[in-house]
Amino acid sequence: MELFPNASRPSKVGDPNWFTGKVWQDPILAAPAPSRNRSIRERYELGARTAWHSHPLGQTVYIVAGIGLIGTRDAPPQILRPGDTVWIPPGQEHWHGATLGSTLDHISIRETETGFATTWMGHVSDEEYQITPD
């Protein structure tokens, strides 16, 4: 067993190659093999969002606080609220982030395959981000 006391692992700002706006990332778990779990808490400032990305084994996103958006290539964005859980299937290209009027705090759970958990693509354009949600 390994205990990670609160504040023992510092927050970091998300890489601007993968995010638009400021996103704070707090590690939860990068379990050693044979586990493949990678979990992180992300806090998005107003209007901040991920770039387009996918996960080889899928992703679960649990909304802790704030109001957010999640979009896919084939549908308008959907609104995310506290307590919502989203399952994104393996390989589905998507993005998620805060709205212009609210911050967003979520937990992301994904698994690695051959050492990686995320395939990053281009940034979400302002036009894609501002499509009226379903």
Side-chain angles (χ1 to χ4, degrees), residues 4-125:
F4 301 98
N6 186 30
S8 66
R9 297 169 295 164
S11 296
K12 67 176 187 172
V13 175
D15 186 325
N17 291 310
W18 304 336
F19 297 94
T20 298
K22 189 165 278 185
V23 177
W24 292 96
Q25 298 180 308
D26 302 309
I28 295 174
L29 182 65
S35 175
R36 300 184 296 189
N37 184 291
R38 299 294 181 267
S39 301
I40 192 166
R41 177 181 175 185
E42 294 180 328
R43 294 172 286 129
Y44 295 74
E45 293 188 352
L46 299 176
R49 58 194 180 266
T50 67
W52 286 102
H53 63 286
S54 66
H55 304 279
L57 297 174
Q59 178 183 33
T60 300
V61 174
Y62 175 76
I63 309 306
V64 175
I67 306 296
L69 297 168
I70 187 164
T72 62
R73 297 279 189 190
D74 58 353
Q78 295 183 52
I79 296 176
L80 303 171
R81 293 179 177 82
D84 288 352
T85 300
V86 182
W87 164 245
I88 300 111
Q92 184 173 45
E93 295 180 9
H94 67 285
W95 62 270
H96 34 96
T99 65
L100 291 173
S102 177
T103 60
L104 177 68
D105 185 340
H106 77 56
I107 293 172
S108 167
I109 304 164
R110 57 223 185 276
E111 293 180 285
T112 61
E113 181 177 64
T114 62
F116 79 99
T118 306
T119 299
W120 291 102
M121 299 159 211
H123 283 276
V124 174
S125 70

